[in-house]
Amino acid sequence: MIVNEPVPDTFEDTPAKDRDPDWFKRAVFYEVLVRSFQDSDGDGIGDLKGLTAKLDYLQWLGVDCLWLPPFFKSPLRDGGYDVADYTAVLPEFGDLADFVDFVDSAHQRGMRVIIDFVMNHTSDQHPWFQESRKDPDGPYGDYYVWADDDKQFQDARIIFVDTEASNWTYDPVRKQYYWHRFFSHQPDLNYENPAVQEEMISALKFWLDLGIDGFRLDAVPYLYQREGTNCENLPETHAFLKRVRKEIDTQYPDTVVLAEANQWPEDVVDYFGDYAAGGDECHMAFHFPVMPRIFMAVRRESRYPVSEILAKTPAIPSGCQWGIFLRNHDELTLEMVTDEERDYMWAEYAKDPACAPTSASAAGSPLLDNDRNQIELFNALLLSLPGSPIIYYGDEIGMGDNIWLGDRDAVRTPMQWTPDRNAGFSSSDPGRLFLPTIMDPVHGYQVTNVEASMASPSSLLHWTRRMIEIRKQNPAFGLGSYTELPSTNPAVLAFLREHEDDLVLCVHNFSRFAQPTELDLSAFAGRHPVELFGGVRFPPSATCRICSRSEDTASTGSGSGRTPRRTRGGAVSPLRPGHA
C-alpha cells in the first residue's frame, strides 16, 4: 500500500464517549503558513518537516488546532490559492508522506489540523482548465463557466477592483470568455456540472482520509451564478454545502467545516444552515466585521463600535460557532465597514499611501505602535468575545510586518525564532529566503523573537500563553452565552460569559487613561469575584465600582465597595458562589 491510497477510517471502532463534536467551540486555533514557519532543508522556504519540528512549541503555547493555508501544487500567483492539483503537495513543501507525518505528530500532541480548501476556482494552469479550453466537447469542457460574450451577470460586483476590470476574461484558445470572481488567472468552477461537484467532494474525502480534522472553505458565497442576482449566497450554494456537510458528518464525525464568507453577519448566518436542527451546513464561519471595529473602538476610545456590531449579530444554531481573529494572511481588510468607517480607518491606520483601497497593509503590533497595553487589550478581546479565537503565527511574540513588500507579502514574512542568522528560520544564504526577514529596530528579529520571549517571564509570549490557559480553564468562553452589561463609562465594555456553573465577568477599557465605571451586579449578590490571573478573591457585593487604569492587562470583578482594577485590556474572573 502506498500513501496515495489511504485507508478510510469508518470510526466503527471508536466508542461514542470518545467523540467530541463540540471541540471546535472550545479550541484556540493557530493559522500557520507552511512557507513561513520553519525551513528544514536550507532552501530558504518553510516546509512540512520544518513545521513538524516546531510542534512542541505550539503545544507548549496551548494551541488546540492548526489551520494551514493552501500547500497544494500551484503556480503561486496568489499565494497558493490558485490551485493546480487538489490532491498534490507543492514539492518545495514536501510530499504526502511528510504531510501525513505532520498530521500524526500534531495528533500525538493533542492538536488537530484543518486545511484550506479552495472551492470556488482553480488556477488557469490546472489540467482541468487546460483541457476545457482545448476541447470544449471533451469531458472537461463544461468544468468552467464559459460564454460567447461578457454581458452576463452584470449585477455581480468586481471584488479585486484594483486589478480586474471585469469578471470575464477572453481565452484566445477556446475563443470564448470564462468567468472569474477573483483574479483572471483563477477561472471559476462550474458547479452546475454534477461532475465538478463529485470532483470536489472526492478531493475533500482524500484529505479527510489522510487524517485531517476539517477544512476552511475559501470563498464559498460565489459557487453559483444566476442572471438577475449579484451571484452571491444563492440557494444552490447552500444546497451544495448541505450535501458536503451531510457526507462529512456521516463518514467523518467530529470534523469541522469553517466557511470563509467575507460578508455581513446577517448574510453569513445562513451558512450555518437550519437553526432548528442546530446547523446543517458549516460548523463555523468567520465574523469579519468584529475585527475592524476593535481597531476603530481603540482609536475612538469608545466601546460602541464593538458593542453595536455584536448587538446586530443574529443568533446562530446551537451546534455552530463564530471564528474571530485580529489578523490573518491578508491585510487588515476593510470590506465589512461602511464608507464612513472605512475613511476613518484609512486616516487612522493606513501608513502607506500605496495600500489597497479596501485594506491597510500592516497588522498586529505595528498598527498598535507596539503599545503593549493595546496589544494585550486586543488579545484579551480575541480570547473572551463570543467565538473561537484564531491566532496568526507570530502574533504571540508581537511580530510585525514589512509594508514595503508587494501585495500581501507584508504579513507573510519568516517566523522569528532567534536573534541569529535568518531569525533561526533557515540555514540558507539570506538572499535565498522566499521573503526577507523583518529587520527594523522595533520589530526586527534581533529584538523580537521566540528565544528572547521565552527567556523573559514578563514577555507578551508568556502573557499570551497564560491567557490561553485561563480560557481553557473556563468553558464559558467557548460554550457559554454572551451578555453585555450596561457601563456608566462609554470607554468601558463589560460583559458576562456563562456556561452552566461557570460565570465570568470581563471588563475592557478602550481608553488610553484610567477610567472609572460602575456596573450593576445585583443579580449576583453574595458571590465572590476571583481575579483569574492571580486568583485573588474579593468580597461579595451587588455593585462593582471599577477604577480602570490603562497599564493593566486584566480586569474583572463583582466586588464589595470599590474594587480597583487596571486594564487597557480585560480579562476574566469567575463569580464564585461564596468561595474562591
Side-chain angles (χ1 to χ4, degrees):
M1 184 180 68
I2 61 175
V3 74
N4 287 317
E5 298 176 356
V7 177
D9 189 342
T10 63
F11 293 90
E12 292 175 355
D13 58 344
T14 304
K17 63 182 177 62
D18 291 339
R19 296 179 181 171
D20 187 5
D22 288 334
W23 68 265
F24 60 90
K25 296 182 181 180
R26 302 186 307 273
V28 174
F29 290 77
Y30 188 95
E31 183 186 2
V32 53
L33 278 66
V34 175
R35 177 183 300 276
S36 303
F37 210 58
Q38 182 65 41
D39 171 20
S40 71
D41 56 11
D43 65 352
I45 300 171
D47 47 48
L48 288 165
K49 288 183 177 179
L51 178 55
T52 303
K54 292 297 185 180
L55 287 176
D56 286 341
Y57 163 76
L58 296 170
Q59 180 187 23
W60 171 86
L61 182 60
V63 171
D64 297 300
C65 183
L66 301 173
W67 158 26
L68 272 62
F71 52 86
F72 311 122
K73 184 178 178 182
S74 167
L76 299 177
R77 296 183 65 186
D78 185 25
Y81 285 87
D82 47 334
V83 178
D85 189 334
Y86 282 106
T87 58
V89 174
L90 188 68
E92 61 194 42
F93 292 162
D95 55 29
L96 284 173
D98 294 330
F99 179 77
V100 171
D101 181 59
F102 159 70
V103 173
D104 289 345
S105 297
H107 287 167
Q108 290 167 13
R109 291 164 174 80
M111 292 183 287
R112 301 179 189 254
V113 176
I114 67 171
I115 67 173
D116 249 311
F117 196 84
V118 187
M119 301 196 80
N120 180 70
H121 53 263
T122 71
S123 164
D124 59 6
Q125 300 304 305
H126 197 294
W128 297 345
F129 185 74
Q130 292 300 314
E131 289 299 316
S132 184
R133 65 198 299 238
K134 289 189 297 185
D135 186 4
D137 298 321
Y140 299 100
D142 198 28
Y143 266 44
Y144 297 85
V145 181
W146 296 93
D148 292 328
D149 58 43
D150 59 355
K151 306 304 180 185
Q152 298 184 61
F153 315 135
Q154 292 299 305
D155 294 328
R157 65 189 173 106
I158 298 173
I159 295 173
F160 291 155
V161 294
D162 53 332
T163 61
E164 303 298 328
S166 170
N167 287 321
W168 291 100
T169 292
Y170 183 74
D171 178 52
V173 175
R174 181 156 164 161
K175 294 182 171 53
Q176 282 186 304
Y177 292 86
Y178 62 86
W179 176 256
H180 56 88
R181 289 307 302 269
F182 295 92
F183 293 115
S184 59
H185 57 78
Q186 294 170 323
D188 281 21
L189 288 162
N190 178 19
Y191 277 87
E192 298 286 358
N193 183 348
V196 170
Q197 298 184 28
E198 295 302 322
E199 292 274 18
M200 302 310 284
I201 290 176
S202 176
L204 290 169
K205 290 180 178 180
F206 175 87
W207 294 105
L208 289 167
D209 286 339
L210 292 182
I212 68 166
D213 301 284
F215 300 95
R216 169 193 178 269
L217 300 183
D218 183 69
V220 291
Y222 314 107
L223 302 187
Y224 285 82
Q225 307 80 35
R226 190 196 306 154
E227 197 64 61
T229 72
N230 65 359
C231 300
E232 299 178 19
N233 310 317
L234 296 182
E236 297 91 333
T237 295
H238 292 290
F240 177 69
L241 291 176
K242 288 179 188 291
R243 179 189 171 192
V244 169
R245 169 70 180 269
K246 184 177 181 179
E247 297 215 18
I248 288 178
D249 279 355
T250 301
Q251 301 181 42
Y252 308 92
D254 297 355
T255 297
V256 66
V257 177
L258 168 60
E260 189 248 357
N262 191 355
Q263 302 189 355
W264 295 102
E266 54 267 32
D267 295 321
V268 176
V269 73
D270 292 339
Y271 287 91
F272 293 123
D274 185 4
Y275 185 90
D280 61 353
E281 278 188 46
C282 297
H283 304 80
M284 295 182 65
F286 289 111
H287 197 314
F288 279 94
V290 167
M291 175 268 295
R293 281 166 181 79
I294 294 176
F295 282 89
M296 192 182 308
V298 168
R299 281 295 192 265
R300 291 181 175 177
E301 301 191 16
S302 167
R303 70 175 183 265
Y304 293 119
V306 174
S307 179
E308 288 171 359
I309 193 64
L310 291 176
K312 294 177 181 177
T313 300
I316 63 176
S318 60
C320 300
Q321 179 78 305
W322 290 109
I324 58 176
F325 60 95
L326 297 177
R327 70 166 179 163
N328 54 29
H329 55 275
D330 294 325
E331 309 98 329
L332 169 58
T333 177
L334 302 181
E335 283 191 82
M336 290 300 106
V337 295
T338 65
D339 290 342
E340 180 182 356
E341 290 169 335
R342 183 178 297 113
D343 290 341
Y344 178 83
M345 293 285 284
W346 188 256
E348 290 292 329
Y349 285 108
K351 307 298 184 182
D352 177 17
C355 293
T358 58
S359 65
S361 294
S365 181
L367 277 182
L368 305 179
D369 299 321
N370 203 36
D371 184 327
R372 175 68 179 267
N373 293 324
Q374 288 193 38
I375 294 170
E376 290 183 359
L377 167 61
F378 273 62
N379 283 284
L381 286 163
L382 175 68
L383 292 166
S384 61
L385 286 174
S388 294
I390 302 167
I391 299 172
Y392 191 58
Y393 82 97
D395 277 2
E396 69 273 19
I397 61 172
M399 191 169 137
D401 47 44
N402 185 346
I403 65 171
W404 308 112
L405 296 176
D407 195 29
R408 290 167 284 188
D409 288 341
V411 294
R412 302 179 183 184
T413 55
M415 180 65 175
Q416 296 169 191
W417 295 104
T418 72
D420 303 320
R421 177 188 178 102
N422 297 329
F425 163 76
S426 173
S427 61
S428 74
D429 184 287
R432 287 192 65 188
L433 294 181
F434 76 99
L435 287 175
T437 55
I438 296 173
M439 292 177 282
D440 70 67
V442 176
H443 300 97
Y445 68 86
Q446 299 91 340
V447 177
T448 302
N449 58 73
V450 172
E451 182 181 285
S453 297
M454 293 280 273
S456 173
S458 62
S459 68
L460 178 64
L461 175 61
H462 282 287
W463 182 90
T464 301
R465 180 174 185 254
R466 175 64 176 141
M467 285 291 287
I468 292 173
E469 182 181 21
I470 289 172
R471 178 183 171 88
K472 291 185 175 184
Q473 291 170 349
N474 292 271
F477 288 118
L479 302 173
S481 61
Y482 169 89
T483 304
E484 184 175 338
L485 297 177
S487 168
T488 57
N489 189 322
V492 177
L493 173 67
F495 54 85
L496 290 171
R497 304 299 313 276
E498 183 174 6
H499 176 68
E500 297 179 350
D501 63 347
D502 187 30
L503 179 62
V504 185
L505 168 64
C506 306
V507 183
H508 303 272
N509 174 20
F510 288 96
S511 173
R512 293 166 292 169
F513 309 110
Q515 295 292 322
T517 191
E518 185 168 323
L519 307 175
D520 180 7
L521 298 175
S522 57
F524 309 105
R527 292 198 176 192
H528 292 266
V530 179
E531 204 283 326
L532 288 184
F533 262 88
V536 178
R537 184 170 182 248
F538 290 87
S541 177
T543 302
C544 176
R545 296 182 181 89
I546 296 178
C547 176
S548 189
R549 292 180 288 179
S550 62
E551 68 270 17
D552 193 13
T553 62
S555 155
T556 64
S558 143
S560 163
R562 194 175 299 276
T563 54
R565 295 282 190 276
R566 19 185 205 106
T567 184
R568 168 97 185 186
V572 288
S573 177
L575 302 174
R576 307 293 189 189
H579 62 278

